[in-house]
Amino acid sequence: MRFLEKWFEPAVIVSMLGMIIILVFADVIARLAFSTSIAVANELARFSFVYMIYFGVSYAIRERRHMRVTVLLDVMPKALRHWMFVLSEVIFLIYSVVVCWLGVVITQQSIDRGKILSSTEWPQAVLYVAIIFSGALSSLRLLQSIKAAVVDGDTRLGPQTDI
Amino acid sequence: DTTIRIGHATPEVSPVHQALSYFEEELEKRSNGTIQVEIFPGGQLGSVKEMTDLVQSGNITMTTGASVHLSSTVDQLAVLDQFLLFKDEETARSLLDGDAGKTISAAMEDRGLKNMGFMELGFRSFTNSRAPLDSYEAFEGLRMRSADNPIAIKAWRSVGAVPVPLAWGEIYSSLQQGLIDGQESALSSMIIERFFEVQKYVSLTGHIYWPELWMANLDWYNDLDEADRTLIDEVAVETVKKQRELTAAANAETLAKLKEAGLEVNELPEADKKRLGETMNAAIEGDIRAKVGDSFYDTFMQAVAQ
Amino acid sequence: MTTAILFGSFLLLLLIGVPIGIALGAASMLAILYIPFLSLDMYALGLVSAIDSFTLIAVVLFTLAGSLMAEGGISKRLIAVADHAFGGMPGDLGTVTIMSCLFFAAISGTGSATVAAIGLAMIPALVDRGYDRAYAGAMVASAGGLGVMIPPSVVMIVYAVSSGVSVTALFMAGIVPGFVIALTLIGYNVIQRRSGNQGAGNPVPPTRTGSLWAALWDAKLALAMPPVVLGSIYSGMVTPTESSAVAVVYALIVSCFVYRELPLSAVPKMMLEAALLVSAVLVIIGASYAFGRIIALERIPSDLAQLVLSLTQSKVVVMLAAIVLLLIVGTFLETLAAIVILTPVLLPIMLKLGVDPVHFGIVMVVALAIGFVTPPLGANLFMAAAVGKIRFEDIARRIFPWVVTMIFALLLIAFIPVLSLGLPELFLGYGR
Ligand code: NA
Ligand code: NA
């Protein structure tokens, strides 16, 4: 369980990124060297990218990597700052629960409407499932983060890197 | 009072937008302002697929899009991806306004979309720099851009062409660099995308006719009161008629511009057209049938054959 | 009212420290709840369709390529070349540092990777040759912005997605402005060195070994990278996204198998790091979809355009106002958030005034890249402080003149459009 808690998201994220590199590169080689193309490569790469990003969103909570504006927080007294952090995580939690529920709604809708992806002809719902996963995992990560903040007083932020 | 919000992905100068503006003016006037129309052009509200989602979920009222972009929403639209299905514009219009069109409208209603009418983009044609495409044989070995679409690729291979899947935005540079000899598109694109600068020949192959579908949210349409619905239907018919006239005029103007730019224009003889269509459609019939279902395929083709 | 709800709740959420993407998303949800004809499913659809983009894939791949090259020995060889070629010039090692950032920028898509790669090696070297440590850090943080000004650039990719212009055209348009920035930074450093302003001490004689040719030969694989990656895009052989995959594979092969300075076992960790960085910023893109639709449906951009154009029809005044706005926003907000929020608002005004969308894109990228080094949220400052072992306060105190220098270059780029549009017009036939 511990192992899963630590490695589940990273494993998905790294595999998805690996898939992206292989698919996109293989399609280039297929075209330039063999004058053909891998019809599903583009769509599968985008599929992997959606999963990579939305698993990344939840894992970034664990690492406290989401970017925040801290101008106001920096001038607040320490105790107030602490509770502002808890408040912001609670808002994030509400957001994630809503997103998870909305993920279920649009997955159901797209199944009802018979939407399919154009190359792989998979149901479009497979993409929307990423939102359900992301919302659910994010909610769990946020509960952990809130617990760490309230019980252990840990409100440290990870590196706030821009690109 | 009703507000109709229409999103579409074409620019404000396009026949689609011009016609929808007519729809807006006439409807607001004839309803004495009880129906308001708001148009969001140029893809402000997203791609054709995204706007179709928004229409289906009722966030906006109407959108337009080429049939080819919508077959992931309404599978049956794939029948329109067949080649040389209609002899000329008149035939296409009368068939789509008649029984063949009704089968498509019914399929759209199954997906929560009300068909407001078939606008048109006109027949697609070729440009290339190798030789005029004046016979069936001229396609042999032609390196041409194709969409990333397995069925289209199969069809072009069946007549000996070499389809190269490329994104729309890469066509110009690929023509310039000689990666491909030619491309197929609506006439207007040859000017808008400046393909004419890097091509020698325009061949009026008329190999495919894609209608621009105009659709509304079905629940919204069914909930309209009788008088409003009648009025909207009436103005919609006029709007489609106007759009087709504008497209025909724009295409004639485009062709004149292409000639003026020094491109050599030729037609593909009827006999070769027929042969091209038969070979390509035979190659993809199985795929199309698998997508749309045998009974739909047969019903539609019967209506077209009339 | 919708405008007040949307922007008011966004600001409020930002200020209490809610992550930027979530603040944008929650504010959009509130606006959707308020607008009677919209439903929340639209928000969720946008989360997927905004990210389901082949173009955006290049963001993570160019980020990964940059970090592979930073750790794989490529940056070291580029620095050696810059040292031989520019070490004898005015500004000595400062010039070398800025030129190294320029070289590295041509293979990295991000500013932070550029700061990390060059700063790690150059800040200690600068200190050795008598530069003040905080001054050196400020210099690297500023020149690191070249990472997104010189193609490839993840910020340009996001602008392209927001505005609908071609990535290829933007990439080509960024080259000359990147050089303009580099030259003004070099110029500022030369002036400082001449006036002995930053505790320069005596210039230590150079310690270069071997010849320029030997350094060039040693760096051949690193130097081949920009022509391979960018050349394949401009020749129309591959799309920008495909070239980013080529860049990753190339960097992997060179770092792991040719230079052998990066163990293959370290790669998954770097992949995770790149993905995390990109997820934390692209969550903003997902949320921006609904935001963009709401402001379009409420006709906020066109109303604002009308308002602005009723006040003034002067291109110069509007451009200056936009630059001021971009600099202020860039100071407080993350770059991609600024792009996805401001592009739909500002671009229609610029188009109405006849400003070219590619040119405006370059202005926007440069203005926001200046935000990389403006405290409080200056990512390049954090990075330079970390790799150079400098206190953040010290580096922040030293940054001001560098910011002024970059603003000077930005004004040149904004008011001389040919700097941006010359190359795409010449080579891509852009805009004819
Ligand atoms: Na770059
Ligand atoms: Na900043």
Side-chain angles (χ1 to χ4, degrees):
Chain A
M1 203 57 217
R2 258 242 120 92
F3 184 77
L4 209 62
E5 195 271 333
K6 192 158 176 216
W7 294 112
F8 174 56
E9 287 137 313
V12 173
I13 292 166
V14 172
S15 328
M16 290 296 142
L17 182 48
M19 286 276 290
I20 293 169
I21 297 167
I22 292 167
L23 286 164
V24 179
F25 190 72
D27 196 31
V28 175
I29 297 299
R31 191 173 67 238
L32 298 185
F34 306 104
S35 288
T36 175
S37 74
I38 305 169
V40 296
N42 185 302
E43 200 164 275
L44 285 178
R46 284 185 283 132
F47 170 87
S48 309
F49 187 60
V50 169
Y51 271 81
M52 184 199 89
I53 294 293
Y54 282 110
F55 272 69
V57 167
S58 111
Y59 196 64
I61 297 170
R62 181 184 191 271
E63 308 278 304
R64 298 233 174 110
R65 288 289 291 272
H66 282 284
M67 307 242 322
R68 298 158 196 264
V69 173
T70 56
V71 197
L72 188 65
L73 302 180
D74 289 343
V75 298
M76 278 182 185
K78 221 170 155 201
L80 187 56
R81 190 194 157 112
H82 177 95
W83 289 109
M84 289 299 251
F85 177 82
V86 174
L87 174 64
S88 73
E89 292 289 81
V90 169
I91 291 173
F92 196 168
L93 175 63
I94 297 169
Y95 169 90
S96 298
V97 171
V98 173
V99 162
C100 183
W101 166 69
L102 288 173
V104 175
V105 171
I106 59 170
T107 303
Q108 189 59 51
Q109 277 179 0
S110 89
I111 292 170
D112 293 346
R113 289 174 191 154
K115 297 245 172 190
I116 50 165
L117 298 174
S118 46
S119 301
T120 53
E121 305 202 339
W122 291 353
Q124 205 170 56
V126 295
L127 278 177
Y128 297 149
V129 170
I131 299 298
I132 306 180
F133 268 119
S134 182
L137 287 168
S138 297
S139 303
L140 290 177
R141 293 294 180 202
L142 285 159
L143 286 174
Q144 286 178 336
S145 169
I146 293 166
K147 177 171 169 257
V150 174
V151 178
D152 313 326
D154 177 10
T155 60
R156 277 171 305 175
L157 295 181
Q160 304 275 292
T161 25
D162 201 340
I163 58 180
Chain B
D1 284 27
T2 315
T3 303
I4 300 177
R5 294 181 182 80
I6 312 175
H8 68 84
T10 64
E12 291 184 36
V13 294
S14 68
V16 171
H17 185 77
Q18 304 286 315
L20 288 173
S21 303
Y22 170 85
F23 180 73
E24 173 180 1
E25 265 172 43
E26 285 300 308
L27 200 53
E28 289 180 354
K29 194 168 72 194
R30 291 194 224 167
S31 70
N32 298 319
T34 59
I35 302 178
Q36 288 293 312
V37 179
E38 292 181 7
I39 308 175
F40 301 90
Q44 288 173 40
L45 302 183
S47 66
V48 170
K49 267 186 193 169
E50 289 165 342
M51 287 189 288
T52 308
D53 273 331
L54 293 181
V55 170
Q56 283 182 303
S57 56
N59 284 287
I60 61 175
T61 328
M62 294 176 180
T63 188
T64 75
S67 57
V68 67
H69 295 308
L70 294 162
S71 50
S72 61
T73 302
V74 183
D75 318 348
Q76 289 89 334
L77 289 173
V79 288
L80 295 169
D81 294 349
Q82 296 182 94
F83 295 84
L84 294 144
L85 209 49
F86 309 112
K87 198 166 99 253
D88 51 30
E89 275 96 352
E90 274 318 308
T91 319
R93 290 169 189 169
S94 67
L95 286 170
L96 289 174
D97 291 345
D99 288 348
K102 286 204 183 96
T103 59
I104 290 176
S105 302
M108 289 168 67
E109 291 191 11
D110 285 344
R111 297 292 186 226
L113 295 167
K114 163 72 190 168
N115 186 0
M116 300 301 294
F118 293 92
M119 294 186 176
E120 73 183 18
L121 301 165
F123 282 101
R124 287 168 82 82
S125 289
F126 263 92
T127 63
N128 87 99
S129 291
R130 204 178 60 157
L133 299 169
D134 53 6
S135 69
Y136 179 90
E137 286 76 20
F139 287 87
E140 180 68 39
L142 178 78
R143 291 179 64 84
M144 56 169 285
R145 179 265 174 180
S146 147
D148 194 4
N149 170 343
I151 294 184
I153 291 173
K154 201 180 209 177
W156 288 115
R157 285 196 178 139
S158 73
V159 291
V162 184
V164 180
L166 286 172
W168 179 251
E170 297 167 50
I171 301 178
Y172 183 91
S173 60
S174 306
L175 290 170
Q176 195 179 30
Q177 307 293 328
L179 183 73
I180 48 175
D181 304 318
Q183 63 86 34
E184 52 90 36
S185 65
L187 280 175
S188 56
S189 307
M190 298 173 189
I191 297 280
I192 296 169
E193 305 290 327
R194 306 193 326 280
F195 298 147
F196 69 93
E197 292 177 1
V198 288
Q199 297 274 268
K200 287 196 197 122
Y201 309 102
V202 177
S203 305
L204 303 175
T205 49
H207 54 277
I208 212 161
Y209 175 96
W210 278 334
E212 175 89 358
L213 294 169
W214 178 20
M215 58 218 146
N217 179 291
L218 184 64
D219 294 336
W220 166 84
Y221 181 83
N222 288 338
D223 289 347
L224 286 169
D225 64 50
E226 199 61 42
D228 282 355
R229 196 184 310 141
T230 313
L231 179 62
I232 290 172
D233 283 345
E234 192 181 296
V235 182
V237 170
E238 293 166 24
T239 304
V240 169
K241 185 159 173 284
K242 186 159 187 79
Q243 196 274 347
R244 289 170 174 175
E245 285 164 12
L246 288 167
T247 303
N251 281 343
E253 197 182 319
T254 306
L255 198 58
K257 271 192 201 155
L258 288 168
K259 283 181 183 157
E260 201 176 300
L263 274 81
E264 196 179 300
V265 179
N266 73 283
E267 304 227 12
L268 182 63
E270 282 306 318
D272 295 270
K273 268 194 185 178
K274 193 155 175 280
R275 222 178 126 198
L276 197 72
E278 279 166 4
T279 315
M280 293 173 77
N281 290 339
I284 59 174
E285 186 181 329
D287 297 273
I288 303 279
R289 278 179 178 275
K291 265 204 160 146
V292 307
D294 284 331
S295 72
F296 182 85
Y297 184 87
D298 294 331
T299 316
F300 180 82
M301 294 308 280
Q302 240 162 31
V304 169
Q306 277 168 12
Chain C
M1 188 60 197
T2 315
T3 317
I5 292 176
L6 188 61
F7 288 92
S9 59
F10 176 55
L11 272 182
L12 184 72
L13 291 168
L14 272 189
L15 286 177
I16 62 177
V18 175
I20 298 168
I22 309 311
L24 189 61
S28 301
M29 285 183 180
L30 290 176
I32 290 173
L33 289 174
Y34 175 76
I35 301 172
F37 61 90
L38 292 181
S39 59
L40 277 176
D41 50 6
M42 162 200 182
Y43 182 78
L45 288 170
L47 286 180
V48 173
S49 71
I51 299 297
D52 182 17
S53 148
F54 194 64
T55 310
L56 280 182
I57 291 177
V59 173
V60 68
L61 295 185
F62 277 129
T63 303
L64 177 61
S67 66
L68 287 171
M69 284 174 294
E71 307 213 0
I74 293 182
S75 53
K76 195 167 75 183
R77 288 169 175 83
L78 290 176
I79 290 170
V81 171
D83 195 13
H84 278 95
F86 304 102
M89 294 200 169
D92 56 87
L93 208 55
T95 305
V96 171
T97 305
I98 295 164
M99 289 309 290
S100 301
C101 286
L102 187 75
F103 288 172
F104 194 79
I107 51 183
S108 159
T110 65
S112 54
T114 309
V115 176
I118 304 302
L120 203 57
M122 290 310 287
I123 294 175
L126 286 161
V127 172
D128 277 352
R129 293 215 203 153
Y131 279 78
D132 173 78
R133 187 174 282 273
Y135 175 88
M139 175 160 72
V140 172
S142 308
L146 292 169
V148 297
M149 298 173 194
I150 297 270
S153 161
V154 297
V155 181
M156 286 183 198
I157 293 166
V158 172
Y159 174 78
V161 170
S162 297
S163 66
V165 308
S166 137
V167 176
T168 308
L170 271 176
F171 273 14
M172 195 163 267
I175 296 175
V176 173
F179 274 93
V180 169
I181 300 271
L183 287 176
T184 49
L185 291 177
I186 288 173
Y188 172 73
N189 177 56
V190 169
I191 294 167
Q192 290 301 298
R193 293 296 281 176
R194 290 262 163 83
S195 59
N197 240 347
Q198 14 64 39
N202 294 321
V204 178
T207 51
R208 283 183 287 278
T209 55
S211 68
L212 171 62
W213 302 115
L216 277 172
W217 183 246
D218 189 38
K220 59 185 179 295
L221 290 174
L223 289 172
M225 181 120 198
V228 168
V229 170
L230 298 180
S232 63
I233 301 178
Y234 298 142
S235 66
M237 275 164 67
V238 300
T239 61
T241 301
E242 289 172 342
S243 85
S244 68
V246 173
V248 167
V249 173
Y250 188 98
L252 264 177
I253 292 173
V254 171
S255 308
C256 297
F257 302 111
V258 181
Y259 295 161
R260 295 165 190 258
E261 294 186 20
L262 182 69
L264 208 52
S265 58
V267 173
K269 181 97 191 10
M270 294 173 71
M271 288 167 71
L272 179 63
E273 189 52 38
L276 266 187
L277 171 56
V278 169
S279 298
V281 290
L282 286 200
V283 67
I284 296 162
I285 308 273
S288 75
Y289 175 95
F291 172 83
R293 302 300 172 267
I294 294 166
I295 64 168
L297 283 165
E298 292 293 312
R299 301 209 184 273
I300 294 171
S302 50
D303 289 352
L304 184 74
Q306 246 170 25
L307 175 71
V308 170
L309 298 178
S310 73
L311 294 174
T312 173
Q313 295 275 343
S314 156
K315 224 191 231 189
V316 176
V317 173
V318 176
M319 184 65 103
L320 277 176
I323 287 174
V324 171
L325 177 71
L326 287 166
L327 289 172
I328 294 172
V329 171
T331 299
F332 294 102
L333 204 58
E334 187 274 339
T335 316
L336 298 192
I339 293 223
V340 298
I341 293 169
L342 292 180
T343 303
V345 178
L346 294 180
L347 190 58
I349 305 177
M350 292 298 166
L351 291 176
K352 288 223 167 80
L353 285 168
V355 175
D356 182 273
V358 166
H359 175 221
F360 185 63
I362 299 299
V363 171
M364 198 152 176
V365 170
V366 173
L368 294 173
I370 293 175
F372 283 166
V373 295
T374 49
L377 188 63
N380 282 10
L381 288 183
F382 294 129
M383 185 62 88
V387 299
K389 302 190 172 56
I390 312 163
R391 287 197 332 164
F392 182 77
E393 290 77 7
D394 294 341
I395 203 169
R397 205 151 13 86
R398 280 294 200 163
I399 201 68
F400 184 69
W402 292 99
V403 171
V404 173
T405 308
M406 284 199 282
I407 291 175
F408 169 72
L410 170 61
L411 293 175
L412 292 180
I413 293 161
F415 293 109
I416 312 177
V418 71
L419 293 176
S420 308
L421 298 177
L423 287 185
E425 276 167 9
L426 198 58
F427 291 107
L428 299 176
Y430 175 81
R432 269 181 294 123

Short mmCIF file of all heavy atoms in Angstrom, two decimals, chain A residues 64 82-83 85-86 89 143-155:
data_model
loop_
_atom_site.label_atom_id
_atom_site.label_comp_id
_atom_site.label_asym_id
_atom_site.label_seq_id
_atom_site.Cartn_x
_atom_site.Cartn_y
_atom_site.Cartn_z
N ARG A 64 3.57 19.18 -3.52
CA ARG A 64 3.25 20.62 -3.32
C ARG A 64 3.93 21.48 -4.39
O ARG A 64 4.55 22.50 -4.10
CB ARG A 64 3.66 21.07 -1.92
CG ARG A 64 2.91 20.31 -0.82
CD ARG A 64 2.25 21.28 0.13
NE ARG A 64 1.40 20.61 1.10
CZ ARG A 64 1.68 20.50 2.40
NH1 ARG A 64 2.80 21.01 2.87
NH2 ARG A 64 0.82 19.92 3.21
N HIS A 82 -0.55 29.98 7.89
CA HIS A 82 -0.80 28.54 8.04
C HIS A 82 -2.25 28.21 7.71
O HIS A 82 -2.54 27.31 6.92
CB HIS A 82 -0.47 28.16 9.49
CG HIS A 82 -0.76 26.73 9.80
ND1 HIS A 82 0.22 25.76 9.74
CD2 HIS A 82 -1.90 26.10 10.17
CE1 HIS A 82 -0.33 24.60 10.05
NE2 HIS A 82 -1.60 24.78 10.32
N TRP A 83 -3.18 28.97 8.29
CA TRP A 83 -4.60 28.67 8.06
C TRP A 83 -5.06 29.03 6.65
O TRP A 83 -5.95 28.41 6.10
CB TRP A 83 -5.46 29.32 9.14
CG TRP A 83 -5.26 28.60 10.44
CD1 TRP A 83 -4.60 29.05 11.55
CD2 TRP A 83 -5.65 27.24 10.73
NE1 TRP A 83 -4.55 28.07 12.51
CE2 TRP A 83 -5.19 26.95 12.04
CE3 TRP A 83 -6.33 26.25 10.03
CZ2 TRP A 83 -5.39 25.71 12.64
CZ3 TRP A 83 -6.54 25.01 10.63
CH2 TRP A 83 -6.08 24.76 11.92
N PHE A 85 -3.19 28.56 4.10
CA PHE A 85 -2.77 27.42 3.31
C PHE A 85 -3.82 26.31 3.41
O PHE A 85 -4.23 25.73 2.40
CB PHE A 85 -1.39 26.89 3.77
CG PHE A 85 -0.97 25.66 3.02
CD1 PHE A 85 -0.39 25.77 1.77
CD2 PHE A 85 -1.19 24.38 3.56
CE1 PHE A 85 -0.04 24.62 1.06
CE2 PHE A 85 -0.83 23.25 2.85
CZ PHE A 85 -0.25 23.37 1.60
N VAL A 86 -4.27 26.06 4.63
CA VAL A 86 -5.28 25.02 4.81
C VAL A 86 -6.54 25.38 4.01
O VAL A 86 -7.10 24.55 3.30
CB VAL A 86 -5.61 24.84 6.31
CG1 VAL A 86 -6.78 23.87 6.49
CG2 VAL A 86 -4.39 24.35 7.07
N GLU A 89 -6.08 24.73 0.35
CA GLU A 89 -6.13 23.29 0.04
C GLU A 89 -7.57 22.78 0.10
O GLU A 89 -7.96 21.90 -0.68
CB GLU A 89 -5.23 22.49 0.99
CG GLU A 89 -3.74 22.74 0.83
CD GLU A 89 -3.12 22.18 -0.44
OE1 GLU A 89 -3.26 22.86 -1.49
OE2 GLU A 89 -2.50 21.11 -0.42
N LEU A 143 -6.54 15.45 0.82
CA LEU A 143 -6.85 15.05 2.20
C LEU A 143 -5.55 14.81 2.97
O LEU A 143 -5.40 15.27 4.11
CB LEU A 143 -7.73 13.79 2.20
CG LEU A 143 -9.18 14.03 1.79
CD1 LEU A 143 -9.93 12.70 1.68
CD2 LEU A 143 -9.89 14.97 2.77
N GLN A 144 -4.61 14.11 2.32
CA GLN A 144 -3.30 13.87 2.96
C GLN A 144 -2.61 15.20 3.28
O GLN A 144 -2.05 15.38 4.36
CB GLN A 144 -2.38 13.07 2.01
CG GLN A 144 -2.75 11.62 1.88
CD GLN A 144 -1.82 10.90 0.89
OE1 GLN A 144 -1.25 11.54 0.01
NE2 GLN A 144 -1.71 9.60 1.02
N SER A 145 -2.64 16.10 2.28
CA SER A 145 -1.94 17.38 2.45
C SER A 145 -2.57 18.20 3.57
O SER A 145 -1.87 18.82 4.39
CB SER A 145 -1.98 18.16 1.13
OG SER A 145 -1.54 19.48 1.33
N ILE A 146 -3.91 18.19 3.63
CA ILE A 146 -4.59 18.95 4.67
C ILE A 146 -4.29 18.35 6.04
O ILE A 146 -4.03 19.07 7.02
CB ILE A 146 -6.12 18.98 4.41
CG1 ILE A 146 -6.41 19.80 3.14
CG2 ILE A 146 -6.88 19.56 5.60
CD1 ILE A 146 -7.80 19.63 2.58
N LYS A 147 -4.26 17.03 6.09
CA LYS A 147 -3.94 16.36 7.35
C LYS A 147 -2.52 16.75 7.80
O LYS A 147 -2.29 17.11 8.96
CB LYS A 147 -4.04 14.84 7.18
CG LYS A 147 -3.64 14.06 8.42
CD LYS A 147 -3.96 12.57 8.29
CE LYS A 147 -3.32 11.79 9.41
NZ LYS A 147 -2.10 11.05 9.00
N ALA A 148 -1.57 16.70 6.84
CA ALA A 148 -0.20 17.07 7.18
C ALA A 148 -0.13 18.51 7.70
O ALA A 148 0.62 18.81 8.63
CB ALA A 148 0.70 16.90 5.97
N ALA A 149 -0.93 19.38 7.10
CA ALA A 149 -0.89 20.79 7.50
C ALA A 149 -1.51 20.98 8.88
O ALA A 149 -0.96 21.66 9.73
CB ALA A 149 -1.62 21.65 6.46
N VAL A 150 -2.68 20.34 9.11
CA VAL A 150 -3.39 20.55 10.36
C VAL A 150 -2.74 19.79 11.52
O VAL A 150 -2.48 20.36 12.58
CB VAL A 150 -4.88 20.15 10.21
CG1 VAL A 150 -5.60 20.25 11.55
CG2 VAL A 150 -5.56 21.04 9.18
N VAL A 151 -2.46 18.52 11.29
CA VAL A 151 -1.95 17.68 12.37
C VAL A 151 -0.47 17.93 12.63
O VAL A 151 -0.05 18.18 13.75
CB VAL A 151 -2.19 16.18 12.07
CG1 VAL A 151 -1.62 15.31 13.18
CG2 VAL A 151 -3.68 15.92 11.89
N ASP A 152 0.35 17.90 11.53
CA ASP A 152 1.80 18.03 11.71
C ASP A 152 2.30 19.47 11.53
O ASP A 152 3.49 19.73 11.67
CB ASP A 152 2.55 17.12 10.72
CG ASP A 152 1.95 15.72 10.70
OD1 ASP A 152 1.50 15.28 11.78
OD2 ASP A 152 1.92 15.09 9.63
N GLY A 153 1.39 20.36 11.15
CA GLY A 153 1.81 21.75 10.94
C GLY A 153 2.71 21.94 9.74
O GLY A 153 3.43 22.92 9.62
N ASP A 154 2.69 20.97 8.81
CA ASP A 154 3.59 21.04 7.66
C ASP A 154 2.92 21.77 6.49
O ASP A 154 2.02 21.24 5.85
CB ASP A 154 3.98 19.61 7.25
CG ASP A 154 4.86 19.61 6.00
OD1 ASP A 154 5.30 20.70 5.59
OD2 ASP A 154 5.10 18.52 5.46
N THR A 155 3.35 22.99 6.24
CA THR A 155 2.80 23.75 5.10
C THR A 155 3.89 24.14 4.11
O THR A 155 3.74 25.09 3.36
CB THR A 155 2.07 25.03 5.58
OG1 THR A 155 3.03 25.83 6.27
CG2 THR A 155 0.91 24.72 6.49
#
